[in-house]
Structures are given as C-alpha cells and as structure tokens.
Amino acid sequence: QVQLVESGGGLVQAGGSLRLSCAASGSFVSINVMGWYRQAPGKQRELVARITSGDSTNYDDSMQGRFTISRDNAKNTVYLQMNSLKPEDTAVYYCYADATMNRDYGAREYRYWGQGTQVTVSS
C-alpha cells in the first residue's frame, strides 16, 4: 500500500503564491508518475500537472507558466509551486502517484490518491 500526505494549502490573495507538497510512503517497487488534479465545487476534476521519475513534465494549458511541478525521488515527494494565483484556481488539490506494487501474481501498477488540500484565492 501507498499513502500520500498532502500539505501546503491555504488562503491567499490573488497574485500570491503557494507551494503544495505530497509525500509518499509505504511498500512499492517504484513510483513512476506523480501529479496533481484539482476540483472546484460544481466543476469537473481536471489535471493540473504530472511528472515522471525522469522529470518529464506536462501541464494543463491554463496553468503552464504559473505553476511548476517538481519531485524529489529520494524523498518520494512531489511539489506544486503555484504563482500568480487567480480566484479561479480555488479548488481542492489532490496529488496522485502511479506506483508499481508487488503482488502474489506479479508486479502491477496502481494509482494512489492523497487526501486533498484546500486552496482558496481571494479576489
């Protein structure tokens, strides 16, 4: 099993910055991809960014240039640096990890989710 613990959310004024962290722990062979989704009330969940173990990154167009995803493989931690925040960035942010796990029938990849952290950007 893999547990993801998120931190760093909070209340910030428009134009401000926040840094989210998500640390993975547990038993796994490797964590291949880590990333962030967000969901606002009444809105669909959307991908914010993802990063591979080799530091290849992908961003949603609306976040690129303002958000930066990074990871520390030694610490099994993914970060999301959020700059120039806008009220429309207000949402619960969920991190995820795609981890290769050992099972009786062989190694398999599973997706694990963090508990979510609230980001609120005031006008």
Side-chain angles (χ1 to χ4, degrees), residues 32-34 49-59 69 71:
N32 310 308
V33 177
M34 302 185 79
R50 61 184 291 278
I51 185 168
T52 71
S53 60
D55 289 340
S56 178
T57 60
N58 296 97
Y59 297 90
I69 189 170
R71 66 188 285 175

Side-chain angles (χ1 to χ4, degrees), residues 38 46-48 59-67 83-84 86 88-89 93:
R38 71 183 185 185
E46 62 178 341
L47 178 68
V48 176
Y59 297 90
D60 182 84
D61 289 341
S62 65
M63 293 85 169
Q64 193 163 17
R66 299 188 299 120
F67 293 4
N83 299 325
S84 302
K86 304 174 181 179
E88 51 262 44
D89 295 320
Y93 285 70

Side-chain angles (χ1 to χ4, degrees), residues 6-7 9-10 18 20-22 35-40 46-49 63 66-67 80 82 85-96 113-121:
E6 300 181 36
S7 62
L18 287 172
L20 307 183
S21 299
C22 177
W36 298 87
Y37 281 80
R38 71 183 185 185
Q39 188 167 28
E46 62 178 341
L47 178 68
V48 176
M63 293 85 169
R66 299 188 299 120
F67 293 4
L80 186 68
M82 308 165 66
L85 284 164
K86 304 174 181 179
E88 51 262 44
D89 295 320
T90 296
V92 177
Y93 285 70
Y94 297 91
C95 73
Y96 74 89
W113 293 92
Q115 81 281 6
T117 185
Q118 177 70 47
V119 171
T120 303
V121 184

Side-chain angles (χ1 to χ4, degrees), residues 103-118:
R103 294 287 185 267
D104 291 343
Y105 46 85
R108 297 289 187 273
E109 188 174 81
Y110 299 89
R111 176 160 291 182
Y112 296 89
W113 293 92
Q115 81 281 6
T117 185
Q118 177 70 47

